[in-house]
Amino acid sequence: MSVLVAPSMLSADFLHLEKEIELVNQSEADWFHLDIMDGVFVPNISFGFPIIEKIALKAKKPLDVHLMIIEPDRFLERFRAAGANLISIHIEACHHLHRTVYAIKKTGAQAGLVLNPASPVSLLENIITDVDYILLMSVNPGFGGQSFIKGTFEKITALRELITRKNSRALIEIDGGVDLSNSRPLAEAGVNILVAGNAIFASKDPITTIKKLKQF
Ligand code: DX5
Ligand code: ZN
């Protein structure tokens, strides 16, 4: 059993961003998780292309870009050009999911779909074989440092079953309130990628925390 860890840079110290990027480079982390918020789909605004481009200049690991924006089709090429290796869009923010998933793939990035806590796994029934990964939100999106919603475990089980039944190769990513108290049960439930912001960057020793999140 092994999991990938994707530190959420939303919780990094933006005054010392280069140092934080180097920390992730040197750690056992697998991806950089970048949260893009538009102030419309979610009640917060984070950062955009200039910051992604700067992170891409220094990052030695793939950039996992989580779009919390409406009408993401408008910007897919630009996110890719800025350095995104993986791009995920919210099912709740997108009218023509199939088209948008293939538009992401056309840019050369891997395509992910994100479900909010209240959105059921059954919405994925007819798209699960088209995507590279599913991101299940375990908090309501918009902010770092929130508490993990326990009902997520039920959704992970349902998603695992759907992936098996449809013979899909999609990976499962979990985002929100992930820490050392739930990383092991999440991995045991079949999660492939853990996103963690506060648990890593607010810890005394982020490199060790990243190591522990991967260790069972
Ligand atoms: C929330 C973001 C998350 C968040 C995770 O909208 O998508 O990636 O930054 O932060 P923690 O791990 O602190 O919940
Ligand atoms: Zn995220």
Side-chain angles (χ1 to χ4, degrees):
M1 185 174 69
S2 67
V3 289
L4 304 182
V5 168
S8 167
M9 301 308 285
L10 194 62
S11 295
D13 178 359
F14 276 71
L15 206 52
H16 301 101
L17 191 52
E18 184 170 1
K19 209 180 103 220
E20 303 282 61
I21 296 166
E22 285 307 333
L23 182 153
V24 176
N25 281 339
Q26 282 162 26
S27 74
E28 291 178 29
D30 299 277
W31 300 346
F32 286 80
H33 184 82
L34 307 184
D35 290 298
I36 312 302
M37 305 176 182
D38 66 355
V40 178
F41 180 64
V42 289
N44 200 5
I45 296 176
S46 57
F47 54 85
F49 301 115
I51 298 283
I52 301 174
E53 283 161 7
K54 295 296 182 208
I55 293 176
L57 282 178
K58 296 284 172 181
K60 298 199 174 99
K61 298 172 183 183
L63 303 188
D64 169 30
V65 176
H66 173 193
L67 298 183
M68 285 159 272
I69 66 174
I70 59 164
E71 299 171 15
D73 304 66
R74 295 170 294 163
F75 297 113
L76 297 175
E77 288 288 353
R78 286 194 63 191
F79 282 112
R80 176 64 175 158
N85 301 95
L86 305 103
I87 299 175
S88 60
I89 49 162
H90 270 260
I91 205 160
E92 304 85 2
C94 203
H95 294 300
H96 305 291
L97 220 45
H98 185 273
R99 179 186 291 149
T100 308
V101 162
Y102 280 91
I104 294 174
K105 289 186 167 184
K106 205 170 159 213
T107 69
Q110 291 196 46
L113 280 182
V114 192
L115 288 186
N116 275 338
S119 300
V121 167
S122 57
L123 292 173
L124 301 169
E125 180 84 24
N126 297 305
I127 192 86
I128 193 70
T129 52
D130 298 289
V131 294
D132 298 299
Y133 61 107
I134 300 294
L135 172 45
L136 295 180
M137 288 306 302
S138 39
V139 297
N140 288 294
F143 305 92
Q146 302 180 79
S147 301
F148 183 88
I149 296 172
K150 293 210 168 56
T152 309
F153 277 100
E154 202 180 303
K155 290 177 74 176
I156 295 168
T157 306
L159 180 54
R160 244 312 131 230
E161 276 168 19
L162 177 66
I163 288 171
T164 304
R165 177 161 58 81
K166 294 277 192 172
N167 210 11
S168 160
R169 293 171 56 187
L171 299 178
I172 303 178
E173 182 173 25
I174 298 293
D175 184 6
V178 172
D179 59 23
L180 290 171
S181 75
N182 54 29
S183 52
R184 187 188 182 102
L186 286 169
E188 284 172 352
V191 171
N192 305 105
I193 308 126
L194 296 174
V195 175
N198 197 57
I200 291 173
F201 290 103
S203 72
K204 272 204 189 118
D205 181 354
I207 293 205
T208 304
T209 304
I210 291 167
K211 191 187 181 78
K212 284 185 180 164
L213 283 168
K214 291 177 69 99
Q215 217 170 48
F216 303 108

